[in-house]
Amino acid sequence: MIKATAPGKIYLFGEHAVVYGYPAIACAINKRTEVEAEKTRNKDITIIPKNLSFKSIKFSFGDENRYNIPKKELKSLEYIRKSIKKILDKKDQKIGLKLKINSELPISGGLGSSASVTVATIFSLKELLDLDLSRREVANLAYEVEKDVQGNASPCDTFTSALGGLTKVEKNKELIKNKAPAIPIIIGYTNQQSNTTKLVEEVKELKNKYPTIINNLFNNIKKITEKGQKALEKKNLEEIGNLMNINQGILDSIGVNNLKLSKLIYVARESGSYGSKITGAGGGGCMIAITENKEKVSNAIKVTGGKAIKTKLTNEGVKIT
Ligand code: PMV
């Protein structure tokens, strides 16, 4: 039996603008998905999920029509099924497997839950079946799975989950991994799912309508991200916070905020944060705050109807436990 865990991620700066080639910075967080994998005597694949959107399921490849779960819930299973297939295809063997999967990450919350499930599944199986794959190769396989399931995807989530640490993302450039800064953060979850595809589409429409305005805003996000990177290196909390607040103002102006997120962002600031902003696509999902008053800020988030997620930035990518 092998157990692997892979982290989720947050965006510190640059989401949405990154879709148009501007830089962004993400970082792995110590909220993880654990996959416990073992071989079984028969040829069935059994998946036992905890905190995912479907119940336990048993199937064999070629027999998928037997699935009897609603389409919406099927998506979570698809990341796992395609990850298993990627590894079994490499082994060219028909074997039975049992996978127990447990995630600490909210689904569609902007914290990279699908990437962490995919990376942890691939990593646990490559260990179980003795395949020689580096973390980068695991990240690439997981990216292929995400693209396959979603139609398109950013390589950021799978890369960050596989390697850990801070990721600098820039279109058509290799992703760069740096050390995660030791800065105190709190995540606030709205308890609403975030629809990345829809929000990216809405931003595209706004950009088509007002190209000069939106391009200027994205250019400013680029400057914020570049300054933000330096502030992160220096662990200058005040500057990181200020830049997050400015980045948030721009995210608000391109229409990816909503009332619940906005309330969490403002209560976090008012209860003693250096800065706070949406993380990821917005329109629900999560916000982040940089704060040394973690108790006060998480209480304020809870009182405002959100879920406070206490975590740390981490250098640990996918690993065997
Ligand atoms: O909410 P997430 O984790 O799916 O992040 C979306 C980030 C965007 O920049 C809005 C889209 C993207 O593909 O980069």
Side-chain angles (χ1 to χ4, degrees):
M1 191 264 285
I2 293 280
K3 257 190 207 175
T5 79
K9 67 96 203 15
I10 54 169
Y11 270 104
L12 288 156
F13 298 105
E15 56 273 85
H16 283 290
V18 74
V19 174
Y20 298 94
Y22 300 91
I25 296 173
C27 194
I29 53 169
N30 205 16
K31 288 284 165 197
R32 312 176 71 96
T33 300
E34 182 184 86
V35 176
E36 188 185 304
E38 60 183 303
K39 291 185 199 168
T40 56
R41 285 177 197 282
N42 53 36
K43 301 273 183 284
D44 282 337
I45 310 286
T46 305
I47 299 171
I48 304 165
K50 212 170 159 187
N51 302 331
L52 295 181
S53 63
F54 62 94
K55 303 223 159 47
S56 295
I57 187 165
K58 192 187 267 193
F59 64 92
S60 29
F61 283 102
D63 185 16
E64 287 86 345
N65 293 338
R66 241 175 52 186
Y67 290 171
N68 192 15
I69 42 180
K71 214 174 165 194
K72 204 170 154 226
E73 294 167 22
L74 196 64
K75 206 165 169 186
S76 269
L77 176 62
E78 279 302 86
Y79 291 106
I80 301 161
R81 193 184 65 86
K82 286 187 194 286
S83 299
I84 297 171
K85 188 141 191 346
K86 275 244 177 284
I87 294 292
L88 290 188
D89 283 353
K90 283 196 184 294
K91 253 331 219 199
D92 204 20
Q93 259 178 30
K94 267 213 149 198
I95 53 164
L97 291 169
K98 184 154 101 185
L99 266 69
K100 286 188 192 156
I101 302 180
N102 187 5
S103 188
E104 300 175 323
L105 295 156
I107 293 168
S108 301
L111 300 184
S113 66
S114 61
S116 82
V117 168
T118 307
V119 167
T121 302
I122 293 177
F123 202 81
S124 66
L125 293 180
K126 77 106 187 159
E127 282 288 312
L128 187 73
L129 304 180
D130 255 338
L131 279 169
D132 188 18
L133 292 172
S134 68
R135 281 190 167 69
R136 270 173 205 268
E137 285 169 321
V138 169
N140 288 339
L141 288 175
Y143 176 47
E144 284 170 20
V145 170
E146 285 229 305
K147 268 196 295 191
D148 205 3
V149 178
Q150 298 168 8
N152 66 11
S154 149
C156 170
D157 289 18
T158 39
F159 181 90
T160 309
S161 186
L163 281 87
L166 200 72
T167 305
K168 171 124 188 250
V169 197
E170 226 168 323
K171 215 173 183 172
N172 300 329
K173 287 199 186 156
E174 276 222 357
L175 298 174
I176 300 170
K177 178 189 146 85
N178 284 305
K179 255 189 95 172
I183 54 168
I185 63 151
I186 276 279
I187 298 173
Y189 178 43
T190 54
N191 293 308
Q192 296 169 331
Q193 295 200 349
S194 164
N195 184 338
T196 305
T197 313
K198 179 170 163 268
L199 285 150
V200 168
E201 191 53 38
E202 284 170 9
V203 171
K204 186 174 157 198
E205 278 166 27
L206 199 68
K207 191 171 174 297
N208 286 341
K209 218 165 172 181
Y210 308 106
T212 318
I213 295 173
I214 304 295
N215 286 336
N216 280 331
L217 292 175
F218 283 169
N219 259 316
N220 280 319
I221 290 186
K222 179 182 176 193
K223 287 178 194 150
I224 292 165
T225 303
E226 282 164 355
K227 259 199 179 316
Q229 188 178 4
K230 294 200 180 105
L232 286 165
E233 279 160 20
K234 289 189 211 131
K235 285 192 240 141
N236 182 339
L237 301 186
E238 216 166 290
E239 178 133 324
I240 298 165
N242 286 339
L243 292 166
M244 273 188 177
N245 290 346
I246 306 171
N247 194 157
Q248 175 55 33
I250 302 178
L251 288 171
D252 213 334
S253 73
I254 61 170
V256 298
N257 204 355
N258 75 5
L259 184 60
K260 220 164 168 194
L261 260 175
S262 195
K263 280 187 184 166
L264 299 187
I265 287 162
Y266 278 94
V267 296
R269 286 185 203 169
E270 278 166 19
S271 53
S273 299
Y274 290 102
S276 56
K277 65 179 270 296
I278 289 168
T279 178
C286 293
M287 49 71 66
I288 51 170
I290 302 292
T291 179
E292 280 159 338
N293 304 310
K294 285 199 180 188
E295 277 311 311
K296 212 170 158 206
V297 174
S298 50
N299 280 335
I301 288 171
K302 279 185 226 159
V303 169
T304 316
K307 183 178 172 210
I309 302 175
K310 286 185 196 155
T311 187
K312 287 188 171 135
L313 301 182
T314 180
N315 282 305
E316 281 190 324
V318 66
K319 61 175 184 184
I320 297 298
T321 57

